[in-house]
C-alpha cells in the first residue's frame, strides 16, 4: 500500500464548476499538508499549506484536512480553463526545511470553456 | 519570496557524456535541498537529499556514483549525471524550503541521445 493515494483522473469539468480533489494517506506521523499545481513541463507550484486538521481558504481554493480519517481535500470554486493542470497532494511529518515530503501521484484536471 | 531557479532548463547530450544541473535558492538560504526525477505522466520521485557541507543522502535504488550531488553553499546545489544513457532521460526538479513547505525549481529536461 502506498503511503499517499490519489486518484490520477483525468477529471474533466465545465468552466465555473466546483472541483474536488482528494488524497488519502496511511502514515499517522504526517502533520503538514500541501497542494501543488503542476503545468506540463514545469516545476510544481505550491498552492496551499496547512498544518494538522481543519480548513484553509485562499481565494478560490479551500484546503481541508481530516486527520481522523487520514483524508485531505482541495476545492476549487468557479473553476477556470487556466486551472487545467495536474494537482499533487503532498505531506510531511515536519514543517519543511529538512523534512522529506511524500507526494501523491497527481490528479490531472481539465476545465472546459 | 521563496524562489528556486534551475539551470539549464533543458539539455540534450550524447550517450556517455556527463551533465551538470544547478539548483539555486534566490532569496533564501537552504541548508537542505531535494532532487527529484519525474517521468512522463508519473509523479515526483525523490532521488536524494542534498545537505550543505556534507554528503547527500540517496534514496534506495538511486546510484550515488551515477548521480553526483554537491551542495557547496547555502544557495547552490548541483546534480551531475555521469556517463548519461538514454534511460536517464527525464525531467529533473530540485526543491528547497525557507521555513515551511517546499518550493520547486522550474525543472530541467534531460534528453540523452
Amino acid at each position: 500500500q502506498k503511503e499517499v493515494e490519489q486518484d490520477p483522473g483525468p477529471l474533466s469539468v465545465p468552466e465555473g464548476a466546483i472541483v474536488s480533489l482528494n488524497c488519502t494517506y496511511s502514515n499517522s506521523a504526517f502533520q503538514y499538508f500541501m497542494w501543488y499545481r503542476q503545468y506540463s513541463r514545469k516545476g510544481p507550484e505550491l498552492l496551499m499549506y496547512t498544518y494538522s486538521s481543519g480548513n484553509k481558504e485562499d481565494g478560490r481554493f479551500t484546503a481541508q484536512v481530516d486527520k481522523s480519517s487520514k483524508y485531505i481535500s482541495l476545492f476549487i470554486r468557479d473553476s477556470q480553463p487556466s486551472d487545467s493542470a495536474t494537482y499533487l497532494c503532498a505531506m510531511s511529518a515536519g514543517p519543511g526545511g529538512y523534512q522529506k515530503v511524500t507526494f501523491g501521484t497527481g490528479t490531472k484536471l481539465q476545465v472546459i470553456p | 519570496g521563496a524562489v528556486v531557479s534551475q539551470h539549464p532548463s533543458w539539455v540534450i547530450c550524447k550517450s556517455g557524456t556527463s551533465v551538470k544541473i544547478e539548483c539555486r535558492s534566490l532569496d533564501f538560504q537552504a541548508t537542505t535541498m531535494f532532487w527529484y526525477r519525474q517521468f512522463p505522466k508519473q509523479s515526483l520521485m525523490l532521488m536524494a537529499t542534498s545537505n550543505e557541507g556534507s554528503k547527500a543522502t540517496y534514496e534506495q535504488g538511486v546510484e550515488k556514483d551515477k548521480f553526483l550531488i554537491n551542495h557547496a553553499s547555502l544557495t547552490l546545489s548541483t546534480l551531475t549525471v555521469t556517463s548519461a544513457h538514454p534511460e536517464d532521460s527525464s525531467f529533473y526538479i530540485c526543491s528547497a524550503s525557507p521555513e515551511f513547505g517546499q518550493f520547486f525549481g522550474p525543472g530541467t529536461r534531460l534528453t540523452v541521445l
Side-chain angles (χ1 to χ4, degrees), chain B:
Chain B
V3 179
V4 178
S5 71
Q6 272 183 253
H7 178 80
S9 56
W10 60 271
V11 57
I12 301 173
C13 69
K14 292 182 178 179
S15 184
T17 60
S18 295
V19 175
K20 180 185 283 188
I21 303 170
E22 292 186 350
C23 177
R24 292 181 185 272
S25 56
L26 297 185
D27 51 1
F28 64 98
Q29 294 182 333
T31 55
T32 302
M33 293 183 176
F34 300 89
W35 286 97
Y36 294 84
R37 182 165 52 182
Q38 187 176 36
F39 292 106
K41 298 185 180 180
Q42 294 188 24
S43 190
L44 300 162
M45 186 189 79
L46 179 65
M47 299 176 65
T49 303
S50 172
N51 304 299
E52 189 268 336
S54 64
K55 292 182 179 180
T57 305
Y58 291 82
E59 294 300 300
Q60 190 173 9
V62 178
E63 300 175 60
K64 58 183 67 177
D65 293 331
K66 181 167 188 64
F67 299 100
L68 301 180
I69 291 173
N70 187 330
H71 196 147
S73 77
L74 290 172
T75 59
L76 173 64
S77 175
T78 60
L79 168 68
T80 301
V81 184
T82 62
S83 187
H85 292 287
E87 58 266 28
D88 297 323
S89 298
S90 188
F91 193 51
Y92 292 86
I93 314 175
C94 69
S95 73
S97 174
E99 287 184 41
F100 55 86
Q102 281 192 25
F103 293 84
F104 287 85
T108 297
R109 184 159 301 281
L110 170 64
T111 301
V112 185
L113 302 176

